[in-house]
Amino acid sequence: MGFGELLEQVGSTGRFQVLQTTLLCIPMMLMASHNLLQNFVALVPPHFCSAHTNLSQPQMSAEEALLVTVPLDQTGKPERCLRYAAPQWHLLTKNGSSSSGKEGDTNAGLDVDLQGCSDGWTYNMTHMKSTIISDWNLVCDQRSLKQMGQTVYMGGVLLGAVVFGGLSDRYGRRILLLISNLLMAVSGTCAAFSTTFPLFCLFRFGCGMALSGIGLNTFSLIVEWIPTSVRTIVGTMSGYCYTVGQLILALIAYFIRDWRWLTLAVSLPFFVFFLIAWWFHESSRWLVMSNNPEQAIKNLKSVAKFNGRKEEGEKIDMKRLQETMKKEMSCSQGTHSVLDLFRTPTMRRMTICLSAVWLSTSFAYYGLAMDLQKFGVDIYLIQVIFGVVDIPAKVVMVVSMSYFGRRTSQCGALIIAGITVLINLLIPYDKQTARTCMAVLGKGCLAASFNCCFLYSGELFPTIIRQNGMGWVSMMARVGAMVAPMVLLTADYLPWLPGLIYGSAPILSGIAAIFLPETLGSPLPDTIQDVEDRGTGRSSKVSRKEAIILQDTQADLLKQTA
């Protein structure tokens, strides 16, 4: 708590902390918008083959042109990817009757030849004025590219976590936050003006990288400038910024129906965030650990002046800094790696189970959140509902963790989420209200699972490798988010298969979570040996101070949800 003493001296909850935390939290709202932007910019409008270019009856209505050009599928709707090889003029005299649309069917005693949409597609742009689907014809044979675009974006998020996480420990949080904000602004703007789909994916990849950099460095700058006593409140409030961001996206998308302008609307503010970030103070804690105590003292004095405690800040000098943070500097000695997560039996079992929990939670969460069209409900309304459900879900999970324990809550949230997804497979497609209710319940359970696994993982990993452990499971979550869109492609072969996979994964990981140790009322482990002792049943009672630390740890980890 050495740095904590210095923080109290300069003002730990003064105007500086309030202003910097507020300014850092605002971009989190638009981070949620970028994560779920695909729901709107890649909305698939109803479409069918365009009429033949040599169709020579200008007096014909659009309905009549559709009738003689496009056959009907088994549900009585126009085929999306097939048309008649030649206009079927005789259908105009048959009171709107037509063939079933299957190749080989007879029409007026003749075989009907079908072909692909060689003259392009006609789109019904009811919800959006334009999307990347309609602009670049990502339908029929090219429909898999839609899911590929989201996978590329999540790949950027994964790479950004690796790159910016390591660079921030070497070069500082503030400079990496500046770079990330600028990268998001530039990449998002370029994505909005992309002329081809590959260029769009390239710039969205950059947005994904920037999102990781913003999230990681925002988290560090917030928690390293506030005291332990307020981390629970600050962490909870900042965690809800992501939830609010989902609602903001629905509002913006409702009024901006062009995908290019929508992408610009959620990207241009990051130029403002880039300018604001120049005011942020680098973490003095990190500066001391990085052998730059002079700048650390300068920042502390600046904070003291801002908080109206200039005289107290002037008392901080090199000697005072070294004496106060001697313990923290000594604790930072020694090196550990990700391999330590697998060296011992209990750590190995724990890491594998947590990896399954994180991967499946993210996998199923984005599987539901990124395919809103399948519910048959207004896409803007379902986006609001999916965002609002996170609020009570997180509250219920916090209460459950306090009364029933982390393990029971984690298992229950995952298993219930999986069951709701599987039940949806049995509900007829025309029962849209029932299907939507089950999907909302499942999405809420997955949001609650995220809430739990952040805290639970932080309590399970020992202090000396906690960041390595959290980095590992976060990487597993991003892998799940990358794979989720691609699973939707299996619906082309078996329509029920994506739902089966999305539902089975949480159930299996919920069962795996049973093998994790309970941490409610247990002290935080500091060493790997502490974890091994807990695994063999040798544990100590938690002190009052450690119980407080457990609650504060929750806030630190919840902050990363953004």
Side-chain angles (χ1 to χ4, degrees):
M1 298 300 296
F3 184 77
E5 296 177 12
L6 295 175
L7 199 56
E8 290 293 337
Q9 184 174 338
V10 300
S12 59
T13 55
R15 287 175 294 177
F16 169 80
Q17 282 78 10
V18 172
L19 181 58
Q20 174 152 305
T21 300
T22 301
L23 293 176
L24 284 167
C25 286
I26 293 175
M28 293 181 191
M29 300 178 186
L30 291 184
M31 288 169 60
S33 298
H34 271 278
N35 261 348
L36 302 175
L37 188 64
Q38 182 93 348
N39 282 332
F40 298 98
V41 302
L43 186 74
V44 181
H47 55 276
F48 49 86
C49 293
S50 297
H52 300 77
T53 55
N54 59 351
L55 200 62
S56 57
Q57 285 200 14
Q59 303 300 324
M60 191 165 46
S61 67
E63 291 77 10
E64 291 174 330
L66 177 63
L67 178 64
V68 301
T69 303
V70 181
L72 303 180
D73 60 18
Q74 294 179 348
T75 64
K77 297 180 179 180
E79 282 280 1
R80 291 187 168 192
C81 302
L82 293 173
R83 71 175 185 180
Y84 296 120
Q88 303 296 298
W89 302 113
H90 61 277
L91 292 177
L92 295 176
T93 63
K94 293 191 175 186
N95 297 322
S97 62
S98 66
S99 71
S100 62
K102 292 183 179 180
E103 190 166 4
D105 284 349
T106 59
N107 190 13
L110 300 174
D111 290 336
V112 179
D113 294 327
L114 302 178
Q115 63 180 201
C117 302
S118 55
D119 292 317
W121 289 263
T122 299
Y123 298 92
N124 180 7
M125 306 305 295
T126 302
H127 294 290
M128 296 284 289
K129 291 182 179 178
S130 69
T131 69
I132 63 171
I133 305 299
S134 61
D135 278 10
W136 295 317
N137 293 325
L138 305 182
V139 293
C140 298
D141 293 342
Q142 303 294 318
R143 61 184 178 275
S144 62
L145 294 180
K146 173 192 173 182
Q147 309 304 339
M148 181 63 70
Q150 182 67 9
T151 297
V152 169
Y153 169 78
M154 287 299 177
V157 177
L158 174 61
L159 182 61
V162 176
V163 173
F164 288 115
L167 291 178
S168 67
D169 284 335
R170 176 175 295 184
Y171 298 107
R173 287 80 164 96
R174 178 176 170 271
I175 185 63
L176 266 298
L177 182 61
L178 282 165
I179 294 174
S180 298
N181 276 317
L182 183 60
L183 178 61
M184 177 68 85
V186 173
S187 295
T189 302
C190 291
F193 290 101
S194 298
T195 55
T196 63
F197 181 69
L199 274 179
F200 174 79
C201 288
L202 174 64
F203 294 124
R204 284 289 287 165
F205 184 86
C207 290
M209 289 189 64
L211 182 130
S212 282
I214 294 170
L216 290 171
N217 292 286
T218 295
F219 166 73
S220 297
L221 282 177
I222 288 179
V223 300
E224 292 175 5
W225 274 116
I226 61 175
T228 302
S229 59
V230 300
R231 284 182 182 173
T232 300
I233 298 175
V234 174
T236 302
M237 292 177 60
S238 58
Y240 276 113
C241 287
Y242 188 88
T243 299
V244 174
Q246 297 180 56
L247 306 180
I248 292 176
L249 173 63
L251 180 65
I252 296 175
Y254 182 81
F255 289 103
I256 303 178
R257 302 295 181 98
D258 184 283
W259 76 267
R260 295 185 185 275
W261 286 107
L262 177 59
T263 304
L264 273 179
V266 298
S267 300
L268 289 178
F270 283 93
F271 282 111
V272 179
F273 301 149
F274 167 73
L275 297 176
I276 293 175
W278 285 98
W279 176 83
F280 295 145
H281 287 50
E282 181 58 87
S283 167
S284 288
R285 186 193 300 268
W286 174 83
L287 288 168
V288 173
M289 298 298 184
S290 302
N291 298 317
N292 192 0
E294 295 84 3
Q295 185 62 43
I297 295 172
K298 182 179 179 181
N299 284 5
L300 286 168
K301 289 182 178 181
S302 175
V303 171
K305 182 179 179 180
F306 197 89
N307 285 339
R309 308 187 69 172
K310 183 177 180 180
E311 293 182 0
E312 292 295 323
E314 292 299 330
K315 297 178 182 179
I316 299 177
D317 54 18
M318 189 65 67
K319 182 179 180 181
R320 165 76 168 148
L321 183 69
Q322 292 175 346
E323 289 177 351
T324 305
M325 298 194 65
K326 181 178 180 181
K327 184 177 179 180
E328 289 186 351
M329 297 175 69
S330 63
C331 289
S332 65
Q333 295 177 355
T335 58
H336 298 277
S337 69
V338 175
L339 295 178
D340 291 314
L341 298 173
F342 301 93
R343 293 190 193 280
T344 56
T346 302
M347 281 295 307
R348 184 164 52 247
R349 182 181 73 249
M350 195 172 70
T351 302
I352 292 174
C353 291
L354 284 175
S355 297
V357 167
W358 280 72
L359 189 147
S360 65
T361 299
S362 180
F363 171 73
Y365 182 94
Y366 284 103
L368 284 176
M370 296 305 302
D371 192 25
L372 302 184
Q373 280 187 272
K374 69 181 179 183
F375 299 111
V377 181
D378 182 81
I379 191 169
Y380 304 100
L381 176 62
I382 194 66
Q383 178 66 62
V384 170
I385 295 173
F386 267 33
V388 169
V389 73
D390 284 11
I391 299 175
K394 291 179 179 180
V395 173
V396 171
M397 176 54 74
V398 170
V399 174
S400 176
M401 288 189 295
S402 300
Y403 284 94
F404 302 108
R406 281 63 159 138
R407 179 171 57 191
T408 302
S409 301
Q410 185 73 78
C411 295
L414 285 169
I415 292 175
I416 294 174
I419 291 174
T420 58
V421 175
L422 294 179
I423 290 177
N424 240 353
L425 293 176
L426 306 177
I427 301 177
Y429 188 79
D430 58 342
K431 306 291 184 181
Q432 295 296 346
T433 302
R435 285 173 53 83
T436 301
C437 289
M438 294 304 297
V440 169
L441 177 60
K443 200 263 187 179
C445 288
L446 291 169
S449 176
F450 260 130
N451 203 44
C452 182
C453 63
F454 273 110
L455 170 63
Y456 199 11
S457 301
E459 293 177 337
L460 286 171
F461 289 122
T463 301
I464 59 172
I465 56 171
R466 185 166 291 128
Q467 291 305 314
N468 284 325
M470 293 302 297
W472 173 266
V473 293
S474 295
M475 183 181 70
M476 290 295 102
R478 291 179 175 97
V479 170
M482 286 179 60
V483 176
M486 305 308 294
V487 172
L488 292 173
L489 299 178
T490 61
D492 294 339
Y493 307 97
L494 295 172
W496 48 265
L497 188 55
L500 178 63
I501 298 174
Y502 289 138
S504 299
I507 293 176
L508 293 176
S509 63
I511 296 173
I514 296 175
F515 298 97
L516 293 170
E518 180 56 66
T519 61
L520 178 63
S522 300
L524 291 175
D526 291 319
T527 66
I528 295 177
Q529 187 58 48
D530 290 341
V531 174
E532 296 301 316
D533 289 344
R534 183 168 60 187
T536 56
R538 299 193 300 269
S539 60
S540 60
K541 292 184 178 181
V542 63
S543 65
R544 181 177 180 84
K545 181 178 179 180
E546 288 167 332
I548 295 175
I549 293 176
L550 288 174
Q551 297 300 321
D552 294 332
T553 302
Q554 177 182 6
D556 294 348
L557 299 173
L558 284 177
K559 178 64 179 63
Q560 300 180 38
T561 59

